[in-house]
């Protein structure tokens, strides 16, 4: 404004300047004076235009532009506001207190279901707005409105409104007062927002959370939630039952105080890292149960995000994996391998040029198949990497692609050049030239072995999750507050023998009226009424089944999981019966843990009544103590070490050992100690059955005294027998010489007669001569057999390790060289070892294999087998088996007698001494021999040397 005045003064001065000059020069002519006046007007007009009017016009133009820009910005803001209100379903309203008139925006009218601009049937005063409020909410709405109109604060209320079309909607109203200079409200303004969707979502979320807590309370898994900052906010009932902590203690102390000392640092470090990074966390650790027992848990924690991706809380679970630890470790290993595989998408390309069918592999494809880079296989070589059962399918797909251009994709296993089995995804497509002819096939192999492993892991996890939900402690069911079924798993259907379709939505007491008035109903209703968990066992007569029920009540309903314990109760009854029977035994029974304690012996967990009677120790004295309480009193330390060595090898052991009773008396026990394995096959306990043999040991001592005297007599008698044996041996050799001399004479003269006068002897005479010579030979063989048998009975045994396999092969070779024309198959097991005298064992195999060779001579192909198999007591049982003539087992008792034969000499030659010789050798080695056979089906001779496998 000051600048404008200054410019106006300047204009006035310029207009007066010529007049001032004229006045000073009084002698000027009148014409000149007029001219000066005109000049002053011109100067004033020029100055007024330049200094006043032009700037004012410029300022006016700028003001108009600013006003237009402001109007456009205001209109844009208004449009955006309307758009935001329409999207957010927010409307405006104003109320003039003086006129008692209400103004609604279009969106407000739409919220209340009133046509914009049309008169409201309820009136335009604020009392008319009350008519749109749902009847149950009017009292609350009227009270809030009254306080607001009285100027006591702002308006902020949620209520339901009834639209004109009868639809019920939720509305959130906000309002503020515009006051005059005295502070009195003159106008009320505010907004209304349709929050129906939000309310429904909130209600659904509340119901979902209630359903979630009911479900988690009924699960055998521990479930917890935690705020974003790491402060626990909730634990399910399973946690409270497992730990024995209250909810308050659980929320203030958390789960870290229950960690095993060896796992605490590792678990805390991992969890702290996951919490700081906001990443999912999975940890295995041991957690202390209420009774002090630590069990392995698989802990999982997942961050929960809001719509903006901000972490709002954590959801975690603890799954008892104590019985599945080994499997879980393997699964964790696979998970690690899968994570590695996820970073390595091994993909290799290939081409097949047509029509030459030339196959080319990229270097990565070569790496997948474990061949050097640059390897160029033929098409047949490329197909050979597929498994035989998949090759025909691959060929059909490749041919269809080459001939018709049909693209393909499949997943199959393959074998690499190094024999490693892999999984690949194969893709192929045809490449055409400008004329549409197929000139090439191209595609790729992707090594998805790790992916397949990951898929297997995922399937396993899914299967485990489904299995968990479908088999929660056998049967699981959810019921609402009206006792109507809302969920049953398959195990519940099976145990109740009712499909879920027949029970869902039905009342428990109507569907199972037999439980009315029983302890089941009482426990259910008491648990729900008192809002406490319950566990009880009951017999359901219609199904003749014992169940154990776990009831978890909530405000919204009840979760129940139950198990069929009929077999367990029967087993418990049998166990009580067995325990009673064991307690009544006269033999002492002691059961211990498998591992040794600090005193060097396993800890006792059970003793029967006989233990108390015989040792003087009560059950209270023995239970929980080391067996060294009893064994430590023995003086037989070597025998004690033998027992310990057997127990270290998890072998059963039998022994006789002396111990001292509690009162110091000597007690001799015959002990049988054996390991007991659990269901998993792992040895968990030892059982020892002891029999009091003190009286027998005393008798043995008396017998030993008598034996000492007897041994002296035996030594004297043995010396006498040795002299007699020497005489018998001399007699045997003398008889042998005296018998052989005339036999050799008869044989010699018979042979000379055949050579010199064979032409003069009749046919019958020749036959007689042959029979004479055969008789002489048989008599010689008998004499030789008797001498061998007598020699074997006196031969001193020189025991050493003998390779029966090599010995049998030497005998086989002798028979083959003797009769090369025979077809025979020998099957001699490798590694047949025995402890004995090599010369005597050679005689055994020569006789047994000789018989097998002889009696299978009439078979087109003889089959002879030599081997070994274990007996039930662990003893090594050797055998010789053939497919020869066999024999009738009714005469088996004659097999090993001297001169006994089960076949006529005309069928098979022999002396009947061979098997007697074999039995004599086997007996001298402390073994046994027996046979099994059927006529025409061969024979098997079994023999032992009293040695273990």
């Amino acid at each position: 404004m000051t600048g404008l005045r200054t410019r106006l003064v300047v204009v006035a001065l310029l207009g007066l300047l010529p007049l001032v000059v004229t006045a000073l020069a009084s002698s000027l002519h009148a014409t000149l004076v007029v001219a000066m006046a005109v000049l002053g007007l011109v100067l004033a007009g020029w100055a007024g235009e330049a200094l006043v009017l032009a700037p004012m016009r410029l300022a006016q133009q700028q003001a108009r532009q600013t006003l237009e820009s402001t109007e456009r910005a205001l209109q844009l803001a208004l449009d955006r506001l309307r758009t935001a209100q329409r999207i957010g379903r927010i409307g405006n309203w104003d109320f003039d207190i003086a006129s008692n008139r209400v103004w609604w925006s279009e969106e407000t009218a739409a919220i209340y279901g009133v046509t914009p601009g049309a008169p409201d049937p309820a009136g335009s005063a604020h009392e008319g707005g009350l008519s749109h409020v749902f009847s149950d909410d009017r009292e609350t709405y009227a009270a809030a409105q009254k306080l607001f109109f009285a100027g006591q604060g702002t308006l902020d209320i949620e209520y339901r409104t009834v639209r004109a079309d009868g639809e019920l909607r939720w509305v959130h109203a906000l309002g503020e007062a515009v006051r005059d200079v005295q502070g009195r409200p003159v106008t009320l303004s505010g907004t209304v927002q349709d929050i129906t969707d939000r309310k429904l979502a909130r209600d659904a979320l509340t119901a979902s959370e209630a359903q979630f807590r009911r479900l988690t309370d009924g699960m055998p898994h521990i479930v917890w939630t935690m705020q974003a900052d790491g402060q626990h906010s909730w634990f399910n009932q399973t946690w409270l039952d497992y730990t024995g902590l209250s909810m308050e203690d659980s929320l203030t102390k958390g789960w870290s105080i229950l960690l095993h000392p060896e796992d605490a640092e590792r678990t805390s470090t991992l969890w702290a890292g996951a919490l700081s990074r906001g990443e999912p966390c999975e940890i295995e650790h041991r957690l202390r149960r209420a009774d002090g027992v630590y069990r392995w848990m698989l802990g999982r924690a997942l961050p929960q995000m809001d719509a903006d991706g901000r972490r709002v809380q954590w959801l975690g679970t603890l799954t008892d994996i104590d019985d599945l630890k080994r499997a879980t470790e393997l699964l964790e290993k696979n998970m690690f391998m899968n994570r590695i595989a996820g970073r390595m998408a091994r993909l290799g390309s290939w081409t097949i040029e047509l029509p030459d069918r030339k196959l080319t592999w990229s270097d990565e494809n070569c790496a997948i198949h474990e061949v050097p880079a640059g390897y160029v296989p033929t098409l047949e070589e490329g197909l050979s990497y597929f498994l035989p059962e998949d090759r025909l399918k691959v060929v059909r797909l490749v041919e269809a692609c080459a001939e018709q251009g049909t693209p393909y994709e499949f997943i199959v296993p393959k074998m690499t050049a190094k024999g490693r089995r892999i999984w690949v995804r194969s893709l192929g497509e045809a490449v055409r030239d400008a004329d549409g002819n197929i000139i090439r096939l191209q595609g790729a192999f992707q090594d998805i072995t790790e992916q397949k492993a990951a898929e297997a892991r995922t399937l396993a996890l899914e299967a485990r999750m489904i299995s968990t939900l479908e088999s929660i402690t056998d049967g699981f069911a959810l019921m609402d507050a009206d006792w109507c079924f809302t969920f049953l798993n398959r195990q519940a259907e099976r145990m109740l023998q009712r499909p879920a379709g027949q029970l869902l939505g039905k009342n428990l007491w109507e569907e199972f009226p037999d439980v009315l008035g029983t302890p089941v109903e009482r426990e259910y209703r008491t648990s729900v009424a008192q809002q406490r968990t319950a566990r009880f066992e009951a017999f359901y007569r219609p199904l003749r089944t014992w169940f154990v029920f776990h009831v978890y009540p909530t405000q919204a309903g009840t979760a129940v999981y139950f198990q069929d314990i009929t077999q367990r109760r029967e087993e418990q009854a049998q166990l009580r019966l067995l325990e009673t029977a064991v307690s009544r035994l006269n033999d002492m029974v002691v059961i211990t843990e498998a591992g040794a304690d600090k005193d060097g012996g396993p800890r006792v967990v059970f003793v029967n009544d006989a233990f108390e009677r015989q040792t003087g120790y009560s059950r209270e004295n023995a239970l929980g103590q080391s067996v060294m309480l009893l064994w430590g009193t023995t003086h037989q330390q070597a025998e004690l070490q033998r027992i310990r060595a057997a127990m270290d090898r998890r072998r059963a052991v039998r022994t006789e050992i002396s111990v001292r009773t509690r009162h110091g008396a000597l007690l001799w026990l015959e002990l049988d100690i054996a390991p007991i394995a659990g269901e998993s096959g792992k040895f968990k306990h030892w059982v020892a059955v002891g029999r009091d043999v003190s009286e027998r040991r005393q008798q043995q001592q008396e017998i030993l005294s008598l034996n000492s005297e007897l041994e002296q007599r035996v030594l004297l008698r043995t010396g006498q027998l040795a002299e007699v044996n020497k005489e018998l041996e001399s007699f045997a050799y003398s008889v042998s010489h005296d018998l052989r001399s005339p036999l050799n004479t008869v044989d010699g003269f018979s042979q000379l007669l055949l050579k010199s006068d064979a032409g003069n002897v009749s046919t019958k005479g020749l036959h007689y001569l042959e029979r004479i010579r055969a008789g002489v030979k048989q008599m010689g063989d008998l004499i030789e057999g008797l001498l061998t048998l007598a020699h074997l009975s006196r031969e001193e045994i020189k025991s050493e390790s003998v390779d029966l396999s090599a010995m049998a092969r030497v005998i086989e070779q002798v028979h083959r060289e003797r009769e090369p024309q025979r077809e025979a198959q020998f099957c001699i097991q490798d590694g047949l070892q025995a402890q004995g005298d090599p010369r005597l064992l050679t005689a055994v195999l020569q006789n047994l294999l000789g018989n097998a060779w002889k009696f299978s001579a009439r078979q087109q192909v003889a089959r002879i087998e030599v081997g070994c198999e274990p007996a039930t007591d662990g003893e090594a049982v050797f055998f010789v088996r053939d497919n020869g003539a066999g024999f009738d087992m009714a005469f088996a008792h004659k097999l090993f007698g001297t001169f006994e034969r089960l076949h006529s000499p005309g069928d098979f030659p022999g002396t009947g001494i061979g098997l007697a010789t074999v039995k004599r050798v086997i007996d001298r080695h402390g073994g046994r021999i027996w046979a099994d056979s059927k006529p025409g089906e061969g024979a098997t001779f079994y023999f032992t040397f009293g040695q273990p496998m």
Side-chain angles (χ1 to χ4, degrees), residues 875-890:
E875 186 180 22
V877 177
F878 300 93
F879 63 86
V880 175
R881 183 178 293 124
D882 64 71
N883 64 337
F887 59 86
D888 190 341
M889 288 295 292

Side-chain angles (χ1 to χ4, degrees), residues 792 795-808 810-811 833-847 921-922 925 945 947:
L792 290 176
E795 185 79 14
E796 181 181 357
I797 293 179
K798 299 178 180 178
S799 181
E800 61 184 72
S801 180
V802 179
D803 187 345
L804 297 182
S805 299
M807 185 180 292
V810 171
I811 297 171
Q833 295 287 331
Q835 192 73 19
D837 190 306
R839 295 169 301 165
L840 299 183
L841 297 190
T842 300
V844 169
L845 286 186
Q846 284 177 339
N847 280 283
V921 172
I922 296 297
H925 282 79
F945 297 110
Q947 301 166 5

Side-chain angles (χ1 to χ4, degrees), residues 239-250 253-254 257-258 290:
W239 164 270
L240 303 180
D241 294 340
Y242 182 88
T243 63
L245 298 177
S246 65
M247 182 64 74
E248 180 181 359
D249 290 340
S250 299
K253 299 177 181 177
I257 62 170
L258 302 178

Side-chain angles (χ1 to χ4, degrees), residues 847-864:
N847 280 283
L848 292 178
L849 287 174
N851 283 351
W853 179 268
K854 174 173 62 177
F855 289 106
S856 61
R858 298 182 182 179
Q859 300 295 326
Q860 185 174 0
V861 177
R863 291 192 300 275
I864 300 173

Side-chain angles (χ1 to χ4, degrees), residues 474-475 491-497 543 547 562-564:
D474 290 340
Q491 291 296 334
E493 295 180 74
R494 180 185 63 80
M495 287 191 288
L496 297 178
Q497 299 180 18
L543 298 179
F547 290 105
F562 49 95
Q563 299 168 309
D564 182 348

Side-chain angles (χ1 to χ4, degrees), residues 115-178:
T115 303
D120 187 354
S124 59
H126 77 274
E127 292 85 354
L130 186 60
S131 65
H132 292 280
V133 179
F134 183 57
S135 58
D136 291 349
D137 299 340
R138 285 180 185 172
E139 183 179 352
T140 304
Y141 177 83
Q145 192 181 55
K146 182 178 179 180
L147 293 174
F148 175 52
F149 283 3
Q152 299 181 16
T154 60
L155 178 67
D156 187 349
I157 186 172
E158 293 182 0
Y159 58 92
R160 288 167 288 182
T161 180
V162 182
R163 292 166 49 94
D165 57 5
E167 183 182 1
L168 195 67
R169 308 288 293 180
W170 275 94
V171 172
H172 183 202
L174 298 170
E176 293 182 350
V178 179

Side-chain angles (χ1 to χ4, degrees), residues 642 644-651 683 686:
R642 187 179 75 86
R644 284 175 171 169
M647 294 178 69
D648 290 341
R649 297 193 302 272
R650 296 293 191 269
R651 297 282 182 83
F683 290 113
W686 290 92

